[in-house]
């Protein structure tokens, strides 16, 4: 799937707002606020449940990586998520 198409379909899910569980949340991370080198997708089955997390790392910008965006969309669809949220912007990775 083309990266723009995947991004649009994810954005459409995010715009719907909260409709209950299961909930999928996306958060992008990077060393600078301009480029996301990784994305963490969290899946929460029901309220109060511990979220399951998976991290995807990209050599470039994860937001423009066709494979990562297509995979995120497939996870959302297969989880039958009623709510999809996205943390705005890019969270800065701390050097450890």
């Amino acid at each position: 799937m083309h990266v723009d198409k995947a991004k649009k379909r994810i954005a459409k899910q995010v715009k719907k707002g909260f409709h209950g569980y299961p909930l999928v949340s996306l958060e992008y991370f990077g060393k600078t606020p301009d480029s996301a080198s990784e994305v963490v997708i969290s899946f929460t089955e029901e309220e109060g449940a511990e979220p399951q997390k998976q991290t995807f790392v990209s050599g470039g910008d994860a937001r423009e990586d066709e494979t990562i965006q297509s995979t995120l969309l497939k996870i959302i669809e297969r989880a039958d998520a009623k709510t999809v949220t996205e943390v705005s912007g890019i969270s800065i990775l701390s050097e450890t």
Side-chain angles (χ1 to χ4, degrees):
M1 175 179 301
H2 194 268
V3 68
D4 289 334
K5 186 174 181 181
K7 286 169 58 176
K8 284 180 184 177
R9 289 177 65 183
I10 291 170
K12 185 176 179 181
Q13 294 289 328
V14 171
K15 286 181 187 175
K16 289 181 180 179
F18 186 80
H19 287 284
Y21 291 87
L23 179 140
V24 170
S25 179
L26 304 171
E27 184 170 8
Y28 292 92
F29 293 90
K31 293 181 179 168
T32 68
D34 300 325
S35 181
S37 57
E38 60 184 67
V39 59
V40 175
I41 184 168
S42 303
F43 172 79
T44 307
E45 182 72 39
E46 58 191 28
E47 188 172 2
E50 189 68 29
Q52 300 172 22
K53 296 183 178 189
Q54 185 169 1
T55 302
F56 296 93
V57 179
S58 175
D61 191 336
R63 298 169 301 171
E64 302 300 326
D65 188 310
E66 185 173 348
T67 303
I68 290 176
Q69 293 299 313
S70 295
T71 302
L72 295 175
L73 183 60
K74 285 181 181 175
I75 291 170
I76 291 167
E77 290 172 348
R78 289 183 181 158
D80 198 25
K82 292 185 178 171
T83 303
V84 179
T85 63
E86 183 175 11
V87 175
S88 63
I90 298 173
S91 301
I92 302 299
L93 287 168
S94 59
E95 296 291 328
T96 54

